mmCIF file with all atom_site columns, all heavy atoms in Angstrom:
data_model
loop_
_atom_site.group_PDB
_atom_site.id
_atom_site.type_symbol
_atom_site.label_atom_id
_atom_site.label_alt_id
_atom_site.label_comp_id
_atom_site.label_asym_id
_atom_site.label_entity_id
_atom_site.label_seq_id
_atom_site.pdbx_PDB_ins_code
_atom_site.Cartn_x
_atom_site.Cartn_y
_atom_site.Cartn_z
_atom_site.occupancy
_atom_site.B_iso_or_equiv
_atom_site.pdbx_formal_charge
_atom_site.auth_seq_id
_atom_site.auth_comp_id
_atom_site.auth_asym_id
_atom_site.auth_atom_id
_atom_site.pdbx_PDB_model_num
ATOM 1  N N   . MET O 1 41  ? 63.129 69.553 102.135 1.00 0.00 ? 41  MET O N   1
ATOM 2  C CA  . MET O 1 41  ? 63.373 69.774 100.677 1.00 0.00 ? 41  MET O CA  1
ATOM 3  C C   . MET O 1 41  ? 64.496 70.807 100.501 1.00 0.00 ? 41  MET O C   1
ATOM 4  O O   . MET O 1 41  ? 65.269 70.696 99.543  1.00 0.00 ? 41  MET O O   1
ATOM 5  C CB  . MET O 1 41  ? 62.067 70.102 99.980  1.00 0.00 ? 41  MET O CB  1
ATOM 6  C CG  . MET O 1 41  ? 61.093 68.967 99.930  1.00 0.00 ? 41  MET O CG  1
ATOM 7  S SD  . MET O 1 41  ? 59.398 69.505 99.337  1.00 0.00 ? 41  MET O SD  1
ATOM 8  C CE  . MET O 1 41  ? 59.873 69.954 97.687  1.00 0.00 ? 41  MET O CE  1
ATOM 9  N N   . ALA O 1 47  ? 63.458 64.859 98.113  1.00 0.00 ? 47  ALA O N   1
ATOM 10 C CA  . ALA O 1 47  ? 63.344 65.476 96.787  1.00 0.00 ? 47  ALA O CA  1
ATOM 11 C C   . ALA O 1 47  ? 62.223 64.767 95.967  1.00 0.00 ? 47  ALA O C   1
ATOM 12 O O   . ALA O 1 47  ? 62.465 64.064 94.996  1.00 0.00 ? 47  ALA O O   1
ATOM 13 C CB  . ALA O 1 47  ? 64.695 65.296 96.029  1.00 0.00 ? 47  ALA O CB  1
ATOM 14 N N   . VAL O 1 81  ? 43.921 74.916 116.773 1.00 0.00 ? 81  VAL O N   1
ATOM 15 C CA  . VAL O 1 81  ? 43.895 73.921 117.863 1.00 0.00 ? 81  VAL O CA  1
ATOM 16 C C   . VAL O 1 81  ? 44.175 74.567 119.184 1.00 0.00 ? 81  VAL O C   1
ATOM 17 O O   . VAL O 1 81  ? 43.412 74.479 120.139 1.00 0.00 ? 81  VAL O O   1
ATOM 18 C CB  . VAL O 1 81  ? 44.803 72.695 117.596 1.00 0.00 ? 81  VAL O CB  1
ATOM 19 C CG1 . VAL O 1 81  ? 44.786 71.786 118.776 1.00 0.00 ? 81  VAL O CG1 1
ATOM 20 C CG2 . VAL O 1 81  ? 44.384 71.989 116.346 1.00 0.00 ? 81  VAL O CG2 1
ATOM 21 N N   . LEU O 1 93  ? 45.638 69.051 127.601 1.00 0.00 ? 93  LEU O N   1
ATOM 22 C CA  . LEU O 1 93  ? 46.975 68.703 127.251 1.00 0.00 ? 93  LEU O CA  1
ATOM 23 C C   . LEU O 1 93  ? 47.366 68.957 125.818 1.00 0.00 ? 93  LEU O C   1
ATOM 24 O O   . LEU O 1 93  ? 48.404 69.424 125.480 1.00 0.00 ? 93  LEU O O   1
ATOM 25 C CB  . LEU O 1 93  ? 47.241 67.189 127.517 1.00 0.00 ? 93  LEU O CB  1
ATOM 26 C CG  . LEU O 1 93  ? 48.556 66.633 127.058 1.00 0.00 ? 93  LEU O CG  1
ATOM 27 C CD1 . LEU O 1 93  ? 49.802 67.243 127.744 1.00 0.00 ? 93  LEU O CD1 1
ATOM 28 C CD2 . LEU O 1 93  ? 48.710 65.110 127.336 1.00 0.00 ? 93  LEU O CD2 1
ATOM 29 N N   . PRO O 1 126 ? 52.927 64.213 118.579 1.00 0.00 ? 126 PRO O N   1
ATOM 30 C CA  . PRO O 1 126 ? 52.811 62.818 118.686 1.00 0.00 ? 126 PRO O CA  1
ATOM 31 C C   . PRO O 1 126 ? 52.844 62.288 120.153 1.00 0.00 ? 126 PRO O C   1
ATOM 32 O O   . PRO O 1 126 ? 52.050 61.440 120.557 1.00 0.00 ? 126 PRO O O   1
ATOM 33 C CB  . PRO O 1 126 ? 53.927 62.266 117.847 1.00 0.00 ? 126 PRO O CB  1
ATOM 34 C CG  . PRO O 1 126 ? 54.172 63.320 116.882 1.00 0.00 ? 126 PRO O CG  1
ATOM 35 C CD  . PRO O 1 126 ? 54.008 64.580 117.606 1.00 0.00 ? 126 PRO O CD  1
ATOM 36 N N   . LEU O 1 132 ? 47.391 60.786 125.473 1.00 0.00 ? 132 LEU O N   1
ATOM 37 C CA  . LEU O 1 132 ? 45.926 60.870 125.450 1.00 0.00 ? 132 LEU O CA  1
ATOM 38 C C   . LEU O 1 132 ? 45.246 59.630 124.972 1.00 0.00 ? 132 LEU O C   1
ATOM 39 O O   . LEU O 1 132 ? 44.016 59.457 125.148 1.00 0.00 ? 132 LEU O O   1
ATOM 40 C CB  . LEU O 1 132 ? 45.450 62.081 124.591 1.00 0.00 ? 132 LEU O CB  1
ATOM 41 C CG  . LEU O 1 132 ? 45.871 63.501 125.228 1.00 0.00 ? 132 LEU O CG  1
ATOM 42 C CD1 . LEU O 1 132 ? 45.769 64.514 124.141 1.00 0.00 ? 132 LEU O CD1 1
ATOM 43 C CD2 . LEU O 1 132 ? 44.907 63.826 126.437 1.00 0.00 ? 132 LEU O CD2 1
ATOM 44 N N   . GLY O 1 143 ? 39.423 52.509 101.072 1.00 0.00 ? 143 GLY O N   1
ATOM 45 C CA  . GLY O 1 143 ? 38.542 53.050 102.021 1.00 0.00 ? 143 GLY O CA  1
ATOM 46 C C   . GLY O 1 143 ? 39.210 53.563 103.211 1.00 0.00 ? 143 GLY O C   1
ATOM 47 O O   . GLY O 1 143 ? 40.376 53.669 103.375 1.00 0.00 ? 143 GLY O O   1
ATOM 48 N N   . VAL O 1 200 ? 49.167 63.005 131.292 1.00 0.00 ? 200 VAL O N   1
ATOM 49 C CA  . VAL O 1 200 ? 47.827 63.255 131.611 1.00 0.00 ? 200 VAL O CA  1
ATOM 50 C C   . VAL O 1 200 ? 47.301 62.206 132.597 1.00 0.00 ? 200 VAL O C   1
ATOM 51 O O   . VAL O 1 200 ? 47.672 60.970 132.471 1.00 0.00 ? 200 VAL O O   1
ATOM 52 C CB  . VAL O 1 200 ? 46.961 63.252 130.260 1.00 0.00 ? 200 VAL O CB  1
ATOM 53 C CG1 . VAL O 1 200 ? 46.890 61.869 129.654 1.00 0.00 ? 200 VAL O CG1 1
ATOM 54 C CG2 . VAL O 1 200 ? 45.505 63.718 130.607 1.00 0.00 ? 200 VAL O CG2 1
#
Side-chain angles (χ1 to χ4, degrees):
Chain O
M41 290 172 64
V81 172
L93 172 62
L132 291 163
V200 65

